[in-house]
Amino acid sequence: MRISPRHPRYRSLTVRAGLAAAARSGLVVPEGLIAHGRGEAFDYLLGERTTPSARRAERVAARWIRAARHPVLSVNGNVAALAARDVAAVARAWPALRVEVNLFHRTADRAERIAAALERAGVRDVLGVRPSARIPGLPSDRSRVDREGIYRADVCVVPLEDGDRTAALRALGKRVIAIDLNPLSRTSRTADLPIVDELVRALSHLATDLKAGRGARATGRFPPFDAPAALAEALATIDRNLTRAAGLRTRRR
Ligand code: ATP
């Protein structure tokens, strides 16, 4: 079906059509489509733009990546389908950052498809296709990671991750930066640095901020970040948007 660019929700419909095609090709699992719907709902409530608080979180996240000795960006099927080019832009902006395929629903075939999609977009040396280590405390396939990637990482960027894995990474002493539109998710509440923003917007801001800091050396010094305050600000934005919408409805009656 052709989507008219004049449709008010053209972008959202185009993204959905792309994800549905990615599901048919085996890149995305059906559960990924449901997760996307949850994300869209929260984006709607947040106003479908980066809030000032999320932008501040992105700036600190870039500083953490720059300070890290082994930063890793974890990529699942939705991330590859929605933002392979943005992942490549982040990796180009900060070459020390490794990119690892990390799947909730892992099959060798899907891992290879996702790595191929990332390579087509320009990501080099994708990790995680043949995982060589395990994260303790997680069941079977969900624990499998790359020894050169997430296993040894000091900073992990986990977009669209689930809460269990976020908690397991933190238990290993890693600093976890989440990208998740739901400020109430276990991932957002567990991460050291939750970015409550849409994936493509967040990655493009990270690429800009990393590029601006190029040439800096890994210092191992991480500026502080107040995660509970960032989540409270996201909830306050939703609250304001809902209150405003409810007020408009009342006036119209
Ligand atoms: P948790 O275990 O953390 O509570 P969950 O069960 O709510 O997570 P999952 O399906 O594991 O959710 O992960 C998907 C998360 O990613 C959801 O919280 C959803 O809001 C978020 N999400 C989906 N699409 C996007 C997107 N494009 N940008 C940012 N976040 C997104």
Side-chain angles (χ1 to χ4, degrees), residues 6 14 28 37 49 175 181 221 233 241 253:
R6 300 219 306 270
T14 311
V28 164
R49 61 195 165 81
R175 284 172 186 266
L181 278 159
R221 281 198 298 274
E233 279 158 7
N241 289 345
R253 240 188 245 147

Side-chain angles (χ1 to χ4, degrees), residues 43-133:
D43 205 18
Y44 219 117
L45 294 171
L46 285 159
E48 295 182 304
R49 61 195 165 81
T50 303
T51 62
S53 161
R55 192 68 190 91
R56 282 195 293 278
E58 288 157 357
R59 287 206 177 88
V60 178
R63 290 177 66 190
W64 281 22
I65 293 169
R66 291 208 298 265
R69 299 198 196 284
H70 299 291
V72 173
L73 170 59
S74 155
V75 173
N76 62 21
N78 277 40
V79 175
L82 291 168
R85 272 186 305 194
D86 308 279
V87 169
V90 171
R92 263 197 311 277
W94 199 255
L97 180 87
R98 305 295 310 266
V99 175
E100 174 164 343
V101 178
N102 182 27
L103 302 178
F104 193 95
H105 303 278
R106 175 179 278 280
T107 64
D109 179 60
R110 260 190 92 224
E112 272 167 26
R113 273 174 202 275
I114 291 166
L118 291 170
E119 280 160 8
R120 276 196 304 278
V123 183
R124 288 203 230 134
D125 302 326
V126 177
L127 299 171
V129 175
R130 271 170 281 286
S132 45

Side-chain angles (χ1 to χ4, degrees), residues 233-253:
E233 279 158 7
L235 291 169
T237 301
I238 292 175
D239 185 26
R240 270 196 308 280
N241 289 345
L242 286 174
T243 303
R244 196 175 304 135
L248 284 174
R249 263 206 306 282
T250 314
R251 271 205 296 280
R252 267 196 213 119
R253 240 188 245 147

